Amino acid sequence: MPETTVMDKLISLAKRRGFIFPSGELYGGLQGFWDFGPLGVELKNNIKRSWWKRFVQERGDVVGLDAAIVTNPKVWEKSGHVEGFADELVECKKCHHRFKADDIANSESHMANGRKCPDCGGELTQSRKFNTMFKTFVGPVEDSSSVAYMRPETAQNIFVNFDTIRQSMRLKIPFGIAQIGKAFRNEITPGNFIFRSREFEQMEIEYFVHPKDDEKWFEAWVAASHTWFTDMGLKADNLRKYEQKKEELAHYAKRTIDIEYKFPFEKGWAELMGIANRTDYDLKAHGLKYRDEVSTEEFIPYVIEPSAGVDRAALAFLLDAYQEVEGGRTTTTESNKEKEIVLRLHKELAPVKVAVLPLSKKEQLSSVAKDIASSLRNKFVTMYDEIASIGRRYRRQDEIGTPFCVTVDFDSLEDKKVTVRDRDTMKQDRIPIAELEDYLTEQLRT
Ligand code: GAP
């Protein structure tokens, strides 16, 4: 399959099957904003739940936070964002398209034609700084005294709450504070579907350590982050670690390693998440420090920050899971010649865990099947489908990554058993209805 078309196919599937579509599409959409539909929201929730379980619930040294999106603007002054959270922007004098100066400098057209507009060849303006924080006004008066910002990263709320959380939870270094939530950036060039958007979600941890231990913890967080992605099903060959060069580092970072995914665009590899050693930059900026109660040593902790985008992770998981099977996999005559799509998502991430399918729409079967579906809903996201042939219904489920399909047939009325089909192996097991929930629980666990 040529790589360039995989994105188009995925975007089409995402819309057709209710994962992701342009926000406000009824009115032509809004560039850089996306809506997550019924399956998209389940996928995103599963990603966030898995990340939270691994990095907060299962560890004794990380606690959570859900802070406000709009906060005191001083936070962003002190953090350096008001002054420095900016991209270099250039504009074409002819077609007025705007570009990031970096993108122009690195583009193929720049290499070939010099500094010209990549769209129309027109002359470009000198670059100027463009702050990518979204501004808003708090209260009924819209003047400079009421300006506030939509947070461009979740991290700063963590830093400014450092003392409050440390005291309330009686935390001792090393410890971390995690937050999952929306971030907003007025990106000059949003694009590549949900890869770069203007509203997105981040999963971030600020892990506070003694300055002498920063390298050890930095390495540990790079390894733990990489492992989470492979545990959640990303192919190791599609992931790599990229250490940022000195000139690429953010103003606060001593060291940053990006975990890159081989996306089917740009140069192939692009940032999925970053792990930064932010040193004592942020706590110092906010005038915060730490006192060890036992040794009475006072110091400003260093911060190791694993920071991942939920949307970008969702894109990587979807791309990695997307597979087309030439000639079809299902054995029914109507589908055995066509290409079939299978979304081989990790079971934990799959939006729907089980589909219940009566072999026919006959009342005897559908009433049993509906009862089964309704009892499974207690435990799993369950879909019921009785429309079209069984082969077509299997394919509909494969396309959205449902790990298990339960078929109710006429024998089920006699033997009180159903057939459970596994998405990946296509193996079919005959299971007593009374044991179905336990069977699925076990299968989804392993
Ligand atoms: N607190 C550090 C920080 O925000 P970042 O590299 O700017 O660092 C971290 O962002 C992660 O957030 C990125 O690795 C990416 O996954 C995600 N991200 C950043 N900008 C994004 C955008 N415009 N759209 C989607 N995801 C984005």
Side-chain angles (χ1 to χ4, degrees), residues 225-242:
S225 303
H226 188 277
T227 303
W228 179 73
F229 280 115
T230 51
D231 284 354
M232 285 298 107
L234 288 192
K235 296 175 194 85
D237 286 351
N238 288 339
L239 285 172
R240 73 171 186 192
K241 294 171 195 158
Y242 171 77

Side-chain angles (χ1 to χ4, degrees), residues 277-337:
N277 181 344
R278 288 182 81 125
T279 68
D280 57 3
Y281 179 90
D282 303 273
L283 290 182
K284 200 187 250 173
H286 296 298
L288 297 162
K289 56 180 185 256
Y290 176 83
R291 185 171 189 273
D292 189 303
E293 279 168 16
V294 180
S295 69
T296 68
E297 184 192 2
E298 248 184 21
F299 60 95
I300 305 177
Y302 269 32
V303 173
I304 308 302
E305 177 195 65
S307 170
V310 180
D311 314 65
R312 218 171 264 191
L315 180 59
F317 286 125
L318 285 169
L319 284 164
D320 219 64
Y322 185 92
Q323 197 183 42
E324 287 180 350
V325 182
E326 297 290 338
R329 330 192 290 152
T330 42
T331 50
T332 56
T333 46
E334 76 185 83
S335 57
N336 63 5
K337 293 219 164 53

Side-chain angles (χ1 to χ4, degrees), residues 410-446:
F410 289 98
D411 289 341
S412 307
L413 304 177
E414 303 302 320
D415 64 5
K416 309 285 179 233
K417 289 181 179 172
V418 286
T419 302
V420 183
R421 169 189 180 269
D422 181 301
R423 174 196 72 195
D424 295 328
T425 61
M426 307 236 297
K427 203 171 134 261
Q428 305 206 354
D429 276 345
R430 196 88 184 146
I431 305 294
I433 295 170
E435 292 167 24
L436 185 59
E437 187 179 310
D438 287 348
Y439 174 85
L440 290 170
T441 304
E442 181 57 22
Q443 294 293 317
L444 286 164
R445 200 178 56 76
T446 46

Side-chain angles (χ1 to χ4, degrees), residues 1-134:
M1 195 182 342
E3 279 207 328
T4 46
T5 65
V6 176
M7 267 297 261
D8 292 336
K9 290 176 184 174
L10 185 77
I11 293 168
S12 151
L13 173 75
K15 180 162 181 204
R16 187 160 42 85
R17 299 306 311 273
F19 280 90
I20 307 155
F21 25 80
S23 185
E25 201 178 14
L26 188 61
Y27 297 101
L30 187 60
Q31 217 194 349
F33 295 89
W34 297 90
D35 290 344
F36 283 73
L39 300 188
V41 71
E42 295 291 345
L43 172 65
K44 266 220 290 192
N45 284 344
N46 292 342
I47 292 171
K48 291 187 277 185
R49 202 177 293 123
S50 159
W51 185 90
W52 195 265
K53 182 165 182 288
R54 173 73 58 94
F55 295 119
V56 183
Q57 186 188 325
E58 288 177 3
R59 298 178 64 112
D61 58 350
V62 180
V63 295
L65 171 70
D66 182 16
I69 284 168
V70 177
T71 185
N72 191 315
K74 280 221 163 54
V75 171
W76 306 107
E77 282 166 28
K78 293 282 184 193
S79 67
H81 283 76
V82 172
E83 179 67 26
F85 197 67
D87 284 333
E88 292 286 336
L89 174 146
V90 292
E91 186 172 341
C92 172
K93 290 182 181 170
K94 200 162 136 201
C95 70
H96 299 290
H97 287 177
R98 291 171 162 197
F99 306 93
K100 268 167 92 166
D102 279 359
D103 291 348
I104 295 282
N106 298 327
S107 69
E108 279 172 26
S109 83
H110 175 76
M111 312 292 174
N113 309 315
R115 198 175 172 281
K116 297 236 174 73
C117 171
D119 290 351
C120 75
E123 196 189 333
L124 296 171
T125 59
Q126 286 304 311
S127 69
R128 66 178 167 89
K129 283 226 180 290
F130 172 74
N131 194 305
T132 55
M133 278 200 294
F134 277 103

Side-chain angles (χ1 to χ4, degrees), residues 195 221-230 234 236 238-244 256-263 269-275 306-308 312:
F195 178 82
W221 278 106
V222 170
S225 303
H226 188 277
T227 303
W228 179 73
F229 280 115
T230 51
L234 288 192
N238 288 339
L239 285 172
R240 73 171 186 192
K241 294 171 195 158
Y242 171 77
E243 171 120 30
Q244 289 190 8
T256 298
I257 288 184
D258 291 336
I259 296 184
E260 294 188 329
Y261 181 76
K262 201 174 180 188
F263 286 100
W269 295 97
E271 179 187 336
L272 179 56
M273 74 170 292
I275 298 96
S307 170
R312 218 171 264 191

Side-chain angles (χ1 to χ4, degrees), residues 153 185 187 195 197 200 202 204 271-273 305 307 309:
E153 61 169 9
R185 294 181 192 179
E187 297 281 1
F195 178 82
S197 26
F200 55 97
Q202 290 187 315
E204 296 197 301
E271 179 187 336
L272 179 56
M273 74 170 292
E305 177 195 65
S307 170

